[in-house]
Amino acid sequence: MALHIGAHVDQEDPIAEAKARGASLSQLFLGDPQSYKGPVVRYAGGAEALKADAAAAGIDLWVHAPYPINVASLNNRIRIPGRKLLQQHLTAAAEIGAKGVIVHGGHLGVEEDAAKGFDNWRKCIDGLDLPVPLLIENTAGGDNAMARRLEAIARLWDAIGQASGSENVGFCLDTCHAHAGGNDLGSVVDQVRAITGRIDLVHANDSRDEFDSGADRHTNFGSGHIDGDALADVVRAAGAPVVCETPGGTEAQAADIAWLRGRVA
């Protein structure tokens, strides 16, 4: 298969970053990933120039939403600002011509009622304008996470399916998160697709930690606890674009992209 692949890169020039890695796409943050501040386009010329230049270069863009967003939360001071911030990033992603926005599934406290978290997701989707697809990403840890275990993902998708606009909600499968979250990589693609009907993007990452550890710690391919053939099998079976979120910058990510291309071919 021809692998449509890239990496998570610095946001100043995601086109140059893709070219430096021999990649055909880039994932980026818009602004501070640890903040509730609104999105910022740092590309010279702004959003319009980034959209035009990426299209001319044949580089697809994906936007990763900030980490503090947790629209499942029962805490109004977390949930409401998170919804607002997510909408801002969806709007900004459309302005730069991005293919979609990726957001983590979120979690509740151990003693909180998960059903309320899933329903908060339904309410969130009901209230969003989705000018580009929103992809929910599985997460590695948390006993009351909305998208760690397959059973939780099924409940999440049932809730989202009741919302207006749910057809514009997709799924991002992270291999490190699946492994660390206790999901068998040999069957996870079929299982997720049976639940969601789709896998729109793969985050291909090795895991520094063992199976079902709950630890979200990415590492470069071949240096962690995920078998290389199993990782390549996930990418092949998913048949979706791939983002490497592995550490080490341009040279290391270029090597990871080449490694995965060689395995999947």
Side-chain angles (χ1 to χ4, degrees), residues 205-206 208 218-221 244-249 251-253 256:
N205 303 298
D206 205 336
R208 288 175 56 187
H218 302 180
T219 192
N220 303 95
F221 302 143
C244 298
E245 298 178 317
T246 51
E251 186 175 338
Q253 289 181 336
D256 281 333

Side-chain angles (χ1 to χ4, degrees), residues 13 15 41 43-57 61 95-97:
D13 192 346
I15 301 166
V41 177
Y43 185 75
E48 186 174 339
L50 178 53
K51 180 178 181 178
D53 292 350
L61 303 176
E95 290 171 351
I96 67 168

Side-chain angles (χ1 to χ4, degrees), residues 22-254:
S24 56
L25 62 84
S26 284
Q27 177 182 280
L28 62 150
F29 292 117
L30 292 176
D32 184 349
Q34 300 290 353
S35 171
Y36 280 99
K37 293 180 180 178
V40 177
V41 177
R42 293 181 179 157
Y43 185 75
E48 186 174 339
L50 178 53
K51 180 178 181 178
D53 292 350
I59 304 297
D60 285 349
L61 303 176
W62 294 86
V63 171
H64 199 300
Y67 295 129
I69 293 175
N70 182 6
V71 301
S73 177
L74 307 191
N75 185 333
N76 289 346
R77 289 178 291 180
I78 295 173
R79 185 181 68 258
I80 294 173
R83 284 186 190 172
K84 179 181 178 182
L85 187 60
L86 183 55
Q87 181 64 75
Q88 290 173 340
H89 276 75
L90 286 160
T91 302
E95 290 171 351
I96 67 168
K99 296 297 182 181
V101 172
I102 302 97
V103 67
H104 289 175
H107 62 278
L108 301 187
V110 174
E111 301 298 325
E112 292 179 322
D113 183 0
K116 294 180 180 178
F118 296 124
D119 195 52
N120 280 340
W121 258 111
R122 176 191 63 79
K123 293 174 183 176
C124 175
I125 300 303
D126 252 337
L128 288 176
D129 173 38
L130 294 169
V132 297
L134 176 65
L135 309 188
I136 300 175
E137 180 181 350
N138 61 307
T139 51
D143 291 331
N144 206 2
M146 302 290 100
R148 174 182 178 177
R149 309 284 187 189
L150 291 166
E151 311 84 66
I153 294 171
R155 292 181 69 187
L156 174 59
W157 233 253
D158 285 344
I160 287 172
Q162 301 172 43
S164 173
S166 61
E167 68 277 6
N168 293 319
V169 179
F171 195 82
C172 174
L173 176 62
D174 187 300
T175 57
C176 171
H177 297 177
H179 166 87
N183 300 296
D184 180 7
L185 291 184
S187 57
V188 71
V189 169
D190 288 341
Q191 290 172 316
V192 167
R193 198 174 271 135
I195 293 167
T196 67
R198 57 197 289 178
I199 295 175
D200 301 82
L201 189 69
V202 173
H203 281 174
N205 303 298
D206 205 336
S207 173
R208 288 175 56 187
D209 296 275
E210 296 181 357
F211 182 78
D212 207 16
S213 63
D216 180 3
R217 298 200 298 175
H218 302 180
T219 192
N220 303 95
F221 302 143
S223 64
H225 286 272
I226 298 179
D227 176 76
D229 289 336
L231 197 151
D233 285 345
V234 168
V235 169
R236 194 179 295 109
V242 178
V243 176
C244 298
E245 298 178 317
T246 51
T250 304
E251 186 175 338
Q253 289 181 336

